[in-house]
């Protein structure tokens, strides 16, 4: 690229390792001053790591960061701030009990001293006004609507005359109108001479606000900064998702498991699901459900989902688009504003999870090690907990008997272990997931919600999980499979629903069109 | 099993370390450590009547400590046993006062129930605060202890005041002798039976009920229980109530048994020793029984030490404090020691 400027931020050859995982590899990018730059990529592309390196939070193994042409010692937040680089985190970092003025003072590098609430409010009033934050400087951050909270975070980042502002997924927590407000704010910053780097994953938003876009994939620099004016959303989606060469041939389970895969992993063609008689009510019906916003991710907005018995419905989407809230809503953990949830035609909107489980709901939660298992407890306790929760708390139990049936079940599920009194934390990831499957896919299971069931597993274990979900489906269970791995979804789903910002943005059936789904996931077709 | 064995070993090592540390302290302050330890052993177990004395202190401690252990297992750090113990004793005293004249066969069970209800109530509000609004139970139960101490001062110097008292320490009117469940020695069939029944019931609850298994899981990972159903709050609240009720029961025993009355600030360390016992026992019911006898022995020896070696009774407090120090420090050193040992064996 023709260079006629001193880059506001440049990194060259930056590599970050997290243990055995390479988060970013040899990243070299230059960002021109006074522009709005977007950095995009799928989950795990290394966007956040890049932001953290630039802000000095992460020290790279290799590489150099320069600000306005001057090299910056890496891995030091004070140095980065002194050079004018500020990062606004995806999850807000200011103490909720602070007032706005206190947050500004907290962000400033002014030497401390004694101050009163009134003097603080006076000091920061004009700064806040210049950034269009009209809320009372003495109001507490926790009392503010989320858009204003984000505005305060940005204002906090700008108290030090910062010249380079990095925003990590700033739109993830906002409503559409909040996003418009944010973009206005960002354009104003640009006019004030601030260079803005936005970490985003929605193409629609990139094209709406950014001047240039840089694409990362798998920790590597794919393209950019490209001027947005020359880009079309379809070609950008292709850059983000990849050109298809990384996508496996549909259904090629052999290639996935390796040649020596056990017999049980073998699979003939995806069984054609007979359309169940529509006279029976669907297993799961979510009608126009909206949830209240909370800290665990974007809320659902008027989402409809229908799942028939004997069907695997895949839920695709870039992570953080309400999938977690969807699972929480099905579990009865989310705060519903409107809509109804029905299991086999029975309204369970007001039922708690114990009652829903009684009706056959089973959940393989997102976080295996924290939500799925108690790692310091024994295998048999973990395994028996699902059944124990269905009865009276004072029921007499015989641990020896439960251990014996635990042994029987776990060996049927091919879990590798020595003694069912060993702790769940001593199992490998794949065996831990099998333990959860053994608990959740029991004879009474009818509706199985599997959230990222293959994450972090090796190919053999992943294939086992898929096989388990398939055979549950073939027994007549309905499976809702949430995954950000499109290959996984395409391979075993009968239908795929795409989620974006808490809404369902289309349903696809095999043969799946990667481009179309990729576009829907990133919002390019909106 | 090996995990349980390790934790027993770890506790033993901690207690040994504490005794070693205290021996050094005694030695440097001019006492013979050997002689001190020897007279502790004598005061706790070897002298005639020493075993009975150890039981006198150990049984109420066991009842309180097993309750503390149950709340610890469920993941709640209820450190309000002292306050729950006081409120239990106050409730029992009020009940006895109100029913004066009724036959003992009626009054004694009524006082037991009142005492347990009182203790449970003193655990109920911190439990509700914790479960409904996430208020840290360490703070609320600790504050509850202070409130309970003040309430005890109030009732013993107000409504229940013994007018013939010396004025040194405000006390309630003594319990009518027909309602006493033991003499001042403090070991009687009623007290022993109460402790036994409590022990067996709690062992069954912890080891042979759905509650025991689930509370153990919830205590280690509450999030997981949340994803399996919504009984987390039931488990938590039940654990609070049980631990409060048992502390209240111990307060009732002290009131109706060896003390025969309640006095402001009586047994000021009871609830805290019980916490220590639950920690040393790593919340196992059987371990709690063993540790209670040990700490009961120490309490019994505390009365014997001044006579034998001229060491103040508070020397026992130093030992308790040293054990608490080692147990709570979760010494990485001891863990490594035990891990190395285990590797050698297997």
């Amino acid at each position: 690229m023709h260079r006629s400027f001193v880059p506001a931020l440049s990194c060259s050859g930056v590599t970050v390792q997290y243990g055995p995982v390479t988060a970013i590899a040899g990243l070299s990018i230059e960002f021109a001053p006074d522009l709005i730059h977007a950095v995009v990529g799928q989950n795990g592309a290394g966007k956040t790591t890049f932001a953290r390196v630039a802000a000095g939070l992460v020290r790279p193994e290799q590489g150099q960061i320069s600000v306005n042409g001057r090299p910056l010692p890496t891995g030091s937040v004070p140095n980065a701030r002194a050079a004018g680089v500020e990062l606004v985190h995806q999850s807000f970092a200011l103490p909720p009990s602070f007032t706005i003025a206190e947050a500004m003072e907290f962000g400033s590098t002014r030497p401390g001293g004694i101050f009163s609430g009134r003097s603080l409010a006076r000091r920061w009033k004009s700064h806040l006004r210049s950034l269009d934050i009209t809320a009372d400087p003495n109001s507490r951050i926790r009392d503010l609507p989320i858009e204003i909270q984000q505005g305060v975070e940005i204002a906090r980042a700008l108290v030090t005359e910062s010249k380079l502002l990095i925003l990590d997924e700033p739109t993830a927590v906002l409503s559409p109108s909040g996003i418009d407000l944010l973009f206005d704010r960002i354009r104003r910053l640009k006019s004030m001479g601030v260079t803005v780097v936005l970490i985003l994953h929605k193409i629609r938003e990139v094209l709406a606000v950014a001047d240039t876009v840089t694409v990362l994939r798998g920790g590597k620099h794919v393209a950019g900064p490209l001027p947005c004016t020359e880009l079309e959303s379809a070609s950008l989606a292709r850059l983000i998702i990849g050109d298809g060469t990384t996508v496996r041939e549909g259904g090629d389970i052999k290639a996935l498991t390796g040649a020596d895969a056990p017999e049980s992993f073998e699979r003939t063609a995806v069984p054609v699901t007979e359309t169940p008689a529509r006279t029976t009510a669907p297993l799961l019906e979510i009608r126009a459900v909206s949830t209240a916003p909370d800290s665990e991710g974007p809320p659902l907005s008027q989402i409809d989902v229908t799942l028939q018995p004997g069907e695997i419905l895949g839920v695709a989407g870039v992570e953080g688009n309400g999938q977690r809230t969807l699972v929480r809503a099905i579990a009865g953990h989310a705060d519903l504003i409107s809509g109804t949830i029905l299991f086999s035609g029975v309204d369970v909107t007001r039922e708690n999870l114990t009652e829903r489980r009684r009706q056959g709901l089973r959940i393989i939660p997102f976080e295996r090690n924290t939500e799925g298992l108690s790692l310091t407890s024994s295998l048999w306790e973990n395994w028996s907990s699902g059944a124990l929760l269905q009865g009276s708390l004072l029921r007499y139990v015989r641990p020896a008997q439960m251990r014996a049936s635990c042994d029987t079940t776990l060996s049927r599920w091919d879990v590798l272990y020595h003694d069912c009194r060993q702790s769940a934390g001593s199992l490998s990831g794949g065996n831990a997931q099998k333990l959860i499957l053994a608990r959740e896919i029991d004879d009474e299971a009818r509706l199985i919600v599997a959230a990222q069931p293959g994450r972090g597993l090796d190919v053999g274990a992943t294939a086992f999980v898929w096989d388990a979900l398939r055979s549950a489906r073939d027994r007549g269970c309905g499976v809702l499979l949430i995954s950000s791995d499109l290959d996984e979804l395409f391979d075993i789903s009968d239908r795929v629903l795409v989620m974006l910002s808490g809404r369902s943005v289309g349903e696809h059936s095999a043969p799946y069109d990667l481009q179309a789904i990729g576009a829907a996931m990133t919002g390019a077709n909106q | 099993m090996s995990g349980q064995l390790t934790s027993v070993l770890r506790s033993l090592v901690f207690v040994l370390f504490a005794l070693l540390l205290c021996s050094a302290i005694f030695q440097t302050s001019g006492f013979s450590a050997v002689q001190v330890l020897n007279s502790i052993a004598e005061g706790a177990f070897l002298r005639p009547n020493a075993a009975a004395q150890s039981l006198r202190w150990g049984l109420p401690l066991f009842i309180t400590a097993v309750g503390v252990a149950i709340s610890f297992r469920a993941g709640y750090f209820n450190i309000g046993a002292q306050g729950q113990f006081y409120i239990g004793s106050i409730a029992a005293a009020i009940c006895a006062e109100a029913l004066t004249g009724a036959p003992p066969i009626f009054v004694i069970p009524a006082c037991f129930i009142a005492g347990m209800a009182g203790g449970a109530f003193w655990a109920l509000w911190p439990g509700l605060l914790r479960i409904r609004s996430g208020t840290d139970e360490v703070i609320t139960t600790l504050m509850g202890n202070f409130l309970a101490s003040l309430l005890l001062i109030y009732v013993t110097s107000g409504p229940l005041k013994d007018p013939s008292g010396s004025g040194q320490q405000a006390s309630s009117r003594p319990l009518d002798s027909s309602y006493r469940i033991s003499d001042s020695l403090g070991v009687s069939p009623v007290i022993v039976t109460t402790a036994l029944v409590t022990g067996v019931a709690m062992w069954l609850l912890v080891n042979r009920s759905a509650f025991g298994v689930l509370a153990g899981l919830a205590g280690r990972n509450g999030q997981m229980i949340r994803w399996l159903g919504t009984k987390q709050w039931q488990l938590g609240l039940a654990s609070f109530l049980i631990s409060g009720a048992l502390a209240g029961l111990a307060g009732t025993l002290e009131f109706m048994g060896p003390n025969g009355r309640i006095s402001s600030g009586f047994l000021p360390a009871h609830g805290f020793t019980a916490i220590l016992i639950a920690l040393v026992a790593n919340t196992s019911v059987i371990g709690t029984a063993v540790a209670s006898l040990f700490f009961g022995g120490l309490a019994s020896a505390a009365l014997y030490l001044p006579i034998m070696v001229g060491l103040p009774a508070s020397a026992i407090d130093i030992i308790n404090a040293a054990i608490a120090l080692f147990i709570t420090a979760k010494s990485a050193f001891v863990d490594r020691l035990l891990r190395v040992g285990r590797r050698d064996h297997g």
Side-chain angles (χ1 to χ4, degrees):
Chain A
M1 198 203 258
H2 176 67
R3 257 184 63 173
S4 56
F5 56 87
V6 176
L9 173 71
S10 78
C11 60
S12 59
V14 170
T15 298
V16 175
Q17 297 269 138
Y18 292 128
V21 181
T22 304
I24 50 180
L27 205 61
S28 300
I29 317 176
E30 291 185 346
F31 294 107
D34 306 330
L35 290 176
I36 300 172
H37 303 278
V39 176
V40 295
Q42 277 191 292
N43 183 50
K47 299 171 304 221
T48 296
T49 305
F50 158 73
R52 295 175 144 249
V53 169
L57 275 167
V58 169
R59 188 190 301 276
E61 267 67 34
Q62 279 166 33
Q64 182 62 55
I65 300 280
S66 304
V67 175
N68 297 324
R70 280 208 309 277
L72 188 70
T74 53
S76 154
V77 177
N79 280 330
R81 290 189 71 189
V85 182
E86 288 281 354
L87 172 64
V88 174
H89 294 268
Q90 183 177 3
S91 50
F92 298 158
L94 286 173
S97 58
F98 272 27
T99 66
I100 297 179
E102 283 166 353
M104 296 302 118
E105 185 70 22
F106 179 62
S108 81
T109 48
R110 224 171 50 87
I114 295 170
F115 44 74
S116 68
R118 197 176 303 158
S119 70
L120 276 191
R122 214 171 27 238
R123 180 175 307 142
W124 295 110
K125 201 163 191 146
S126 62
H127 174 69
L128 292 166
R129 178 126 321 150
S130 73
L131 292 166
D132 220 14
I133 295 168
T134 47
D136 176 8
N138 285 320
S139 48
R140 306 219 171 262
I141 288 173
R142 61 166 170 247
D143 300 331
L144 300 170
I146 199 134
E147 296 86 351
I148 313 281
Q149 283 191 26
Q150 187 174 51
V152 172
E153 290 272 349
I154 293 172
R156 192 280 308 160
L158 293 172
V159 297
T160 52
E161 301 288 302
S162 130
K163 280 290 164 203
L164 181 75
L165 184 64
I166 306 170
L167 298 158
D168 188 8
E169 308 243 4
T171 56
V173 290
L174 297 180
S175 62
S177 61
I179 291 175
D180 290 341
L181 192 73
L182 171 75
F183 287 174
D184 282 345
R185 212 164 248 158
I186 289 171
R187 289 189 200 99
R188 278 166 65 120
L189 292 180
K190 178 189 169 187
S191 68
M192 289 158 71
V194 178
T195 309
V196 181
V197 176
L198 289 169
I199 313 287
L200 292 172
H201 56 228
K202 291 182 193 125
I203 292 176
R204 184 168 39 88
E205 294 168 0
V206 170
L207 298 180
V209 71
D211 298 312
T212 83
V213 60
T214 303
V215 181
L216 306 185
R217 197 190 320 136
K220 294 198 180 72
H221 179 223
V222 175
L226 306 168
C228 281
T229 46
E230 296 168 20
L231 266 178
E232 282 180 12
S233 57
S235 54
L236 187 51
R238 205 155 38 244
L239 286 171
I240 294 172
I241 306 274
D243 53 14
T245 53
T246 58
V247 179
R248 282 190 308 274
E249 298 293 317
D252 192 357
I253 195 84
K254 246 187 208 163
L256 177 78
T257 54
D260 57 348
E263 190 103 35
S264 63
F265 295 162
E266 291 283 354
R267 187 170 58 92
T268 49
V270 182
V272 181
T273 334
E274 303 130 59
T275 316
R278 293 287 188 235
T279 47
T280 60
L283 206 47
L284 170 70
E285 206 180 343
I286 296 177
R287 288 191 197 146
V289 162
S290 299
T291 62
D294 57 34
S295 55
E296 287 196 57
L300 299 177
S301 116
Q302 295 290 318
I303 195 166
D304 292 296
V305 180
T306 307
L307 175 65
Q308 301 293 340
E311 176 183 49
I312 296 180
L313 173 59
V315 177
V318 174
E319 231 170 283
N321 273 284
Q323 295 97 322
R324 199 182 155 78
T325 316
L326 177 65
V327 175
R328 288 173 55 230
I330 296 171
H333 285 342
D335 186 7
L336 262 60
I337 300 173
S338 64
T340 45
I341 299 176
L342 298 98
F343 289 178
S344 306
V346 180
D347 189 341
V348 295
T349 315
R350 302 195 172 280
E351 304 291 356
N352 63 30
L353 179 53
T354 309
E355 177 55 32
R356 294 181 192 202
R357 282 183 71 92
R358 204 191 307 284
Q359 300 194 18
L361 171 66
R362 296 291 183 271
I363 298 172
I364 298 161
F366 284 94
E367 304 295 334
R368 184 160 51 236
N369 296 335
T370 54
E371 297 168 348
L373 295 171
S374 165
L375 292 185
T376 51
S377 304
S378 67
L379 302 187
W380 72 268
E381 287 172 301
N382 273 294
W383 171 76
S384 61
S385 53
L388 286 179
L389 270 165
Q390 283 303 323
S392 150
L393 285 179
L394 289 176
R395 196 165 73 256
Y396 183 79
V397 298
R398 287 187 184 79
Q401 223 169 56
M402 292 195 330
R403 283 196 284 271
S405 43
C406 178
D407 279 331
T408 317
T409 314
L410 293 192
S411 58
R412 206 172 64 226
W413 281 90
D414 264 341
V415 183
L416 283 181
Y417 69 105
H418 302 294
D419 184 333
C420 65
R421 283 173 292 194
Q422 80 191 68
S423 69
S426 62
L427 295 181
S428 71
N431 282 307
Q433 190 67 296
K434 285 181 192 174
L435 173 61
I436 296 177
L437 292 174
R439 183 181 70 212
E440 299 297 315
I441 308 185
D442 59 357
D443 293 339
E444 275 81 51
R446 290 172 61 214
L447 166 58
I448 298 163
V449 177
Q452 304 277 17
R455 175 187 279 174
L457 302 186
D458 61 35
V459 284
T462 310
F464 187 96
V465 171
W466 299 0
D467 206 45
L469 295 178
R470 272 195 208 99
S471 63
R473 184 258 321 262
D474 295 344
R475 278 206 328 268
C477 294
V479 179
L480 189 72
L481 172 65
I482 290 96
S483 177
S484 49
D485 183 345
L486 289 179
D487 300 342
E488 178 172 285
L489 287 173
F490 293 173
D491 211 25
I492 72 170
S493 305
D494 301 311
R495 282 186 298 143
V496 166
L497 174 148
V498 180
M499 278 187 81
L500 180 67
S501 307
R503 284 174 301 129
S504 158
V505 288
E507 222 174 84
H508 303 255
S509 49
Y512 298 106
D513 179 351
L514 179 71
Q515 305 303 334
I517 291 180
M521 279 168 66
T522 47
N525 56 356
Q526 290 198 346
Chain B
M1 219 43 172
S2 74
Q4 227 165 12
L5 196 68
T6 312
S7 71
V8 170
L9 275 176
R10 183 191 288 130
S11 293
L12 271 179
V13 171
F14 285 136
V15 171
L16 275 178
F17 274 5
L19 288 177
L20 273 175
L21 177 70
C22 293
S23 303
I25 293 172
F26 297 145
Q27 195 77 42
T28 50
S29 16
F31 297 91
S32 155
V34 177
Q35 207 188 339
V36 171
L37 292 179
N38 196 40
S39 41
I40 287 175
E42 266 184 40
F45 304 106
L46 302 176
R47 245 169 36 104
N49 267 342
Q53 273 296 309
S54 299
L55 275 182
R56 177 261 172 273
W57 296 108
L59 293 178
L61 276 176
F62 167 66
I63 291 174
T64 304
V66 89
V68 173
I70 280 173
S71 81
F72 284 6
R73 283 181 84 90
Y76 296 106
F77 208 66
N78 166 19
I79 56 167
Q82 184 67 29
Q84 290 141 19
F85 170 83
Y86 277 164
I87 297 294
S89 70
I90 292 172
I94 291 172
C95 178
E97 179 86 4
L99 297 178
T100 302
I105 192 76
F106 173 65
V107 174
I108 293 172
C111 288
F112 272 48
I113 291 169
M116 289 173 74
F121 169 68
W122 216 242
L124 173 69
W125 60 267
L128 283 177
L129 280 173
R130 174 72 169 88
I131 285 152
R132 292 199 59 95
S133 43
T135 316
D136 193 338
E137 76 278 9
V138 174
I139 310 287
T140 50
T141 53
L142 188 66
M143 292 197 306
N145 287 342
F146 294 115
L147 291 176
S149 295
L150 294 172
L151 266 174
L152 182 64
I153 293 174
Y154 167 69
V155 295
T156 52
S157 52
L160 298 180
K161 185 180 181 186
D162 179 8
S164 65
S166 63
Q168 276 249 341
Q169 188 186 29
S171 292
S172 69
R173 288 179 283 276
L175 183 65
D176 188 277
S177 65
S178 63
Y179 300 144
R180 291 281 292 272
I181 55 172
S182 82
D183 55 15
S184 60
L185 190 64
V187 184
S188 71
V190 176
I191 293 181
V192 173
T193 312
T194 307
L196 276 178
V197 169
T198 305
V200 171
M202 291 304 126
W203 185 86
L204 283 172
L205 185 69
V206 166
N207 298 298
R208 289 289 182 273
S209 78
F211 172 87
V213 176
L214 294 172
L217 282 166
R220 286 158 188 264
N221 187 355
Q223 254 197 82
M224 172 222 175
I225 290 292
R226 218 173 96 75
W227 279 99
L228 283 174
T230 46
K231 288 196 172 159
Q232 198 190 350
W233 69 272
Q234 295 178 10
L235 294 168
L237 200 59
S239 309
F240 268 105
L241 291 179
I242 290 170
S243 69
L246 291 183
L249 178 62
T252 310
L253 292 185
E254 285 288 353
F255 161 64
M256 306 187 80
N259 284 287
R261 58 169 70 192
I262 53 174
S263 329
S264 69
F266 77 120
L267 300 192
H270 177 89
F272 300 103
T273 310
I275 291 169
L276 193 51
I277 290 170
L279 288 174
V280 168
N282 200 24
T283 73
S284 116
V285 176
I286 292 172
T288 304
V290 175
S292 298
L293 287 183
F294 174 80
F295 282 91
L298 286 183
S300 153
L303 304 175
Y304 181 69
L305 274 185
I307 310 164
M308 286 308 293
V309 282
L311 200 63
S314 52
I316 296 297
D317 292 343
I318 298 181
I319 295 179
N320 281 353
I323 294 173
L325 195 68
F326 279 108
I327 288 283
T328 48
K330 285 206 179 99
S331 161
F333 170 71
V334 174
D335 273 356
R336 202 172 310 135
L337 202 81
L338 288 169
R339 208 171 306 132
V340 168
R342 213 168 19 177
R343 206 171 292 145
D344 287 350
H345 294 302

